[in-house]
Amino acid sequence: MRISHLPIATKLKEMGMDVVPNLSMVENTYLGIGGTTDQILLRNYEAIPDAIRLLDSEGIKHRFLGGGSNLLVDDGELPYVVLHLPQAAPGMRVEGNVAYVEASAELGTTVTFCAKHDLGGMEGLIGVPGSIGGALRMNAGAYGTQIGTHVREVELYRASSGRLEKLQGSDIRFDYRHTSFAPEDLMLRVKLELPQKPFKEILAGIKVCNEKRRGSQPLNQKSAGCIFKNPAGGSAGRMIDELGLKGHHVGDARVSDRHANFFVNAANASCSDMLKLIDDVRERVRTAYGVELETEVIIWKN
Ligand code: EPU
């Protein structure tokens, strides 16, 4: 969806937003897959509700892009603009055992920033790519840690009210890779309460998680992490592996040789290749195990 040449682009600029033409999702997702569109950088949080109302009134569809780490985007010209929060400069601060973080901050940077202030509890999340906003939206988790455990307050644009709101942690449901946020909600800032721990101890925990991750996941390849959620009591990776599907591929979309629940873009995979691979593997698991796998990666179909 191209808006940079339209009068709405001028209005958005007057609201303090930047319109960036020709955003390639190949370059803005970890999978390196997806078409192109225009992007709006939401520089002025206060004006977000008005900017979204303006887009709605002009019939321009939009989607929020976080870090792009857990996202599979359709090919070709995308029928929506992408809204994105630019990285905020000061961004993070700590008061006692509470950290205030911008949703645009990287998750890994946040974990190390907190560690330097002797705040732990998020060691398991260290190698999880993506932004704080995306991590909140999905309740990112690894090695026994889920970010939701530590959330005390979230400031967000709430799609249901069309306003900026503050939600208390207790008003948000955080489940396994799922939350009570709506897909159209946009995270802006979060208050995290974290256990106090000496930096050295946190660092040791981080090292253990890094080693585990390096030993089992294809970190040097383009992927969106695990493609499927684990079914209750089971492991999607183990099932796919047991079916001998490591290396199985559709075009350049390939089941990782390292971890069978990671589907990698080996070179120039299209979204259509990846979706075919997902359907094929899902079908094989259904036939062999009677289990219906649910995707963990967020899919933006046109
Ligand atoms: N396994 C295999 N073959 C494989 C992969 C795994 O046999 O190809 C076996 C492992 O040996 C292990 C079991 O399956 O016994 C579970 O594997 P692993 O420990 O790698 O964890 P996982 O359940 O596959 C989950 C999360 C990861 C997270 C790790 C570590 C999901 C869908 N995945 O993976 O999160 O990093 O635990 O906590 O919940 C992600 O969300 O994108 C992600 C990668």
Side-chain angles (χ1 to χ4, degrees), residues 125-274:
L125 294 173
I126 190 65
V128 176
S131 65
I132 282 286
L136 290 172
R137 186 64 202 80
M138 291 293 296
N139 191 16
Y143 304 112
T145 308
Q146 298 193 108
I147 192 164
T149 314
H150 305 291
V151 172
R152 294 296 167 264
E153 191 177 274
V154 175
E155 216 179 309
L156 76 167
Y157 164 77
R158 202 95 199 275
S160 56
S161 67
R163 295 217 303 255
L164 303 186
E165 290 185 19
K166 272 185 191 169
L167 290 183
Q168 297 307 301
S170 52
D171 295 331
I172 307 163
R173 229 188 42 245
F174 289 101
D175 300 320
Y176 166 62
R177 300 294 194 277
H178 185 267
T179 63
S180 52
F181 295 119
E184 301 79 18
D185 288 346
L186 171 68
M187 313 295 126
L188 296 174
R189 295 188 184 96
V190 64
K191 175 179 168 185
L192 299 165
E193 190 181 326
L194 299 162
Q196 273 166 330
K197 267 193 205 178
F199 177 54
K200 269 192 175 171
E201 214 175 282
I202 304 171
L203 216 54
I206 284 177
K207 212 173 146 211
V208 170
C209 293
N210 267 337
E211 274 163 16
K212 280 195 202 159
R213 194 180 290 281
R214 267 198 296 270
S216 67
Q217 300 182 356
L219 302 184
N220 55 354
Q221 284 183 289
K222 288 188 235 171
S223 86
C226 285
I227 210 91
F228 295 112
K229 291 182 186 176
N230 283 333
S235 159
R238 185 183 295 136
M239 288 190 286
I240 301 166
D241 192 359
E242 280 172 1
L243 292 175
L245 294 175
K246 280 183 169 168
H248 182 56
H249 66 102
V250 174
D252 283 333
R254 177 179 291 270
V255 178
S256 159
D257 292 319
R258 192 126 214 225
H259 192 300
N261 197 14
F262 278 63
F263 290 11
V264 301
N265 173 7
N268 296 304
S270 64
C271 182
S272 141
D273 293 336
M274 194 54 84

